[in-house]
Amino acid sequence: MQIDSSTVFIPGATSGIGLGLALRLRAAGSTVIVGGRRTERLAAIAAEHPGIGTVEIDTADPASILRARDEVVARHPELDAVVLMAGIMEAEEFKDPSSLEIAERTVVTNLLGPIRLVHAFLPQLRSRGSATIVTVSSGLASVPLAVTPTYNATKAAVHSLSETLRVQLETTGVRVVELVPPATQTDLMGLNDNPTALPLEDFLDEVMGILETQPEVAEVLVERVKWQRHAEREGRYDEVFATLSARYRD
Ligand SMILES: NC(=O)c1ccc[n+]([C@@H]2O[C@H](COP(=O)([O-])OP(=O)(O)OC[C@H]3O[C@@H](n4cnc5c(N)ncnc54)[C@H](OP(=O)(O)O)[C@@H]3O)[C@@H](O)[C@H]2O)c1
C-alpha cells in the first residue's frame, strides 16, 4: 500500500491502533475515512482532524456494513484500501455459561465482520485495478492466551483467511496485507495500563517504517510480535504457550 497516496477506509478507528494508523496515514498524505459505532468519538475526530472523514458503521450488522460501504464509495469513488481493524477482546470462562454470549459476539465481530467487509468492498477495490485489503490478526493467532479462547481462535482464523484470500485475489490487482500486532497499549482489555504491552506510538513507528520501506509486504510483523509468530518455527512454542497459560492460572 502506498502510504502517501491511497484513499483508505478504516472501520474500527474511533480509538487505539485504528485511530493511530489513520492519523499516521493522513499525515503521510493519504485520504483517510474512519469508521466505528461510537458517534461521539466520530464527531470528536472530525472536529479535531478536519482532513479526516468519518462514517458510522457497526461491523457486526450486515445492513450497517452495506450502508457504510455505499456512503464511503459515493464520497470517495477513488477508494483503494480498506483496513479491517474493528475487533473486540473479552475474557471468557468456559466454566461460566454466560461466557457463551461473549464467544458469539467475538466470532461475529472479529471473524464474520471482516468476511462481510471483504465481500462488500471487493467490487470497488477490484474496479481500481490496484488496491489493498489490510487484515488485522494478532500475535495470539500463533500462540493462544488461555484467558481469551474465542478471541485467539478468531485471530487464527483471520490469519488463515488472509493467506487464502491473497491467493484467490492474486490475479485481481487487490493485495492482501496482514497486520499482526503484539500486545499494544490501547483500550482493548485494559492494555493501556499494562506496562509489558508495546506503547502505541512505538508500534505505529515500526508499522509505518515497514509499510514505507516494503510496500509489497504480505505480513507486517514488528519485532515484538516475532516472539509469538515465530515460536513454532523456532522450537519455542511449548515455552511461549506455558508462559501465556500461566497468566490464566495466576
Ligand atoms: N491492542 C492490542 O494489543 C492488539 C493486539 C493484537 C491485535 N489487536 C487488534 O487490533 C484491532 C484494534 O484494536 P485496538 O487495540 O486498537 O482496540 P480499541 O482501541 O478497543 O479499538 C477497537 C476498535 O474497533 C471498533 N469496533 C469494535 N467493534 C466494532 C463494531 N461492531 N463495529 C465497528 N467498529 C467496532 C471500535 O470502535 P467503536 O467502539 O466506536 O465501534 C474501536 O474503534 C482489533 O482488531 C484487535 O483485535 C490489538
Side-chain angles (χ1 to χ4, degrees), residues 10-19 35-42 57-61 64 84-89 109-110 136-140 151 155 179-189 191-192 197-198 200:
I10 313 181
T14 51
S15 60
I17 296 172
L19 178 56
R37 295 164 300 177
R38 287 173 289 176
T39 49
E40 74 287 358
R41 290 288 313 143
L42 293 170
I57 180 171
D58 179 354
T59 63
D61 174 0
S64 174
L84 311 177
M85 186 64 73
I88 55 172
M89 180 181 194
T109 306
N110 293 7
V136 181
S137 65
S138 166
L140 298 176
Y151 176 83
K155 292 300 183 177
L179 176 63
V180 192
T184 303
Q185 289 173 354
T186 69
D187 294 342
L188 203 71
M189 258 191 74
L191 281 162
N192 261 326
L198 192 59
L200 178 59

